[in-house]
Amino acid sequence: MMRKHITRLLAATLFSVASLAQASDFKEIRIATEAGYPPFEYIAPNGELQGFNIDIGNEICKRLEAKCVWIDQSFDSLIPGLQARKFDLANSTMTATDARRKVIDFSSPLYIVASRLVAHKDKPLEPTAESLKGLRVGVQQGTTMETYARKEWAPKGVQIIAYPSYTNAFTDLAAGRIDASFQEAPNAVNGFLDKPEGADFQLTGDTIKDSAILNEPIAIGLRKGNKKLKAAVDEAIQAMLADGTIQQLSQKYFEPNTIEFPSGK
């Protein structure tokens, strides 16, 4: 019995050492984000990057015993930057679509967020081509909202205007240069509606639930072939979902039931 106990103890010790060695393989992880999308990622008044995805990324680095190095750049340059090896991960509320999977890999799913229209309170618009015909709708370049709007609305008379950041779209919306913006609901609330300039605006219309484009999960982008980092990130994410870490982090930023989470393994 003592021999079996020693054997098990030795096996457990070797497993712990192996796990530690695996984590310590990543001394530094460079993570890119477009910090104009609160509450997911944004620049705080003190100049620091903050937000839900920033917290998730920092926790992943902590669990992998790696230093997080954050890089702020435009959303539509994230995939080219990954491919050019400018950074290791893209963590910027990126939807794991089939089109993107052709050129990059994705981590395990993090969460799913509803997309909604924002318009003036005098305009009770619906997210349909019939309701939006002849109007100007702002989206962010390279997002699934832009993909959906150009596919479903633009051919039917809706003018789609793409911006490098939703900050620009909200500015034009407040000034009356566009009629509505189309984005994930928490970003609209935190980035515009909760601010003085958004006081006369609201979320309007139903949530689009029958679109494969808009109901794909949010995940972290990785360069194709980076299997070792992907395996480590996936393991960290699944553990964070299983122990409730990601769900707890979300409570700092969102009202209950505004985002959904996959089950951790």
Side-chain angles (χ1 to χ4, degrees):
M1 293 296 293
M2 179 63 69
R3 183 177 298 174
K4 288 184 179 179
H5 175 72
I6 294 174
T7 301
R8 289 170 183 164
L9 181 61
L10 179 60
T13 302
L14 290 174
F15 177 79
S16 298
V17 171
S19 298
L20 181 61
Q22 182 180 8
S24 64
D25 284 343
F26 308 105
K27 300 296 183 184
E28 178 179 285
I29 299 177
R30 298 165 297 162
I31 310 177
T33 192
E34 196 264 297
Y37 205 63
F40 297 98
E41 47 267 334
Y42 59 95
I43 299 176
N46 63 3
E48 293 182 357
L49 282 174
Q50 293 184 7
F52 183 42
N53 286 328
I54 308 302
D55 289 352
I56 290 174
N58 286 335
E59 179 65 21
I60 290 172
C61 288
K62 178 181 176 181
R63 295 190 183 213
L64 298 184
E65 300 181 4
K67 176 184 177 182
C68 267
V69 177
W70 289 94
I71 301 166
D72 181 17
Q73 62 179 63
S74 64
F75 187 87
D76 57 359
S77 69
L78 293 178
I79 289 178
L82 271 177
Q83 294 172 320
R85 298 178 177 272
K86 292 182 178 180
F87 39 83
D88 307 301
L89 305 175
N91 186 14
S92 194
T93 324
M94 185 180 290
T95 309
T97 65
D98 289 340
R100 288 173 180 156
R101 289 182 187 277
K102 293 178 181 178
V103 292
I104 63 171
D105 285 335
F106 280 97
S107 70
S108 295
L110 293 169
Y111 52 87
I112 297 174
V113 187
S115 298
R116 298 283 299 278
L117 283 170
V118 169
H120 196 277
K121 291 178 179 178
D122 294 337
K123 296 180 179 179
L125 301 175
E126 291 291 336
T128 64
E130 292 75 18
S131 179
L132 299 172
K133 186 175 182 179
L135 301 183
R136 299 157 296 173
V137 179
V139 294
Q140 184 178 12
Q141 294 171 356
T143 62
T144 53
M145 280 67 70
E146 181 187 18
T147 300
Y148 180 88
R150 293 197 183 282
K151 180 178 183 292
E152 299 294 336
W153 300 340
K156 300 175 183 178
V158 183
Q159 185 178 355
I160 307 302
I161 302 174
Y163 295 86
S165 169
Y166 272 114
T167 302
N168 308 107
F170 295 145
T171 298
D172 277 4
L173 182 60
R177 288 185 284 269
I178 58 176
D179 301 288
S181 62
F182 185 48
Q183 63 287 294
E184 288 162 331
N187 171 243
V189 173
N190 288 267
F192 183 57
L193 298 178
D194 280 350
K195 297 182 177 181
E197 54 268 33
D200 294 329
F201 296 81
Q202 65 181 359
L203 293 170
T204 183
D206 294 330
T207 300
I208 300 173
K209 298 180 179 179
D210 59 351
S211 167
I213 295 174
L214 296 177
N215 291 316
E216 293 287 350
I218 301 299
I220 297 174
L222 302 96
R223 188 167 49 256
K224 276 194 174 295
N226 200 349
K227 296 180 180 179
K228 190 172 185 180
L229 180 58
K230 174 173 166 50
V233 170
D234 283 350
E235 184 176 356
I237 289 172
Q238 290 163 9
M240 289 163 64
L241 287 167
D243 65 21
T245 297
I246 292 181
Q247 295 88 327
Q248 185 175 5
L249 290 173
S250 74
Q251 295 173 11
K252 294 169 55 179
Y253 303 101
F254 309 109
E255 294 296 324
N257 303 318
T258 58
I259 58 177
E260 297 178 358
F261 301 97
S263 58
K265 293 182 179 180

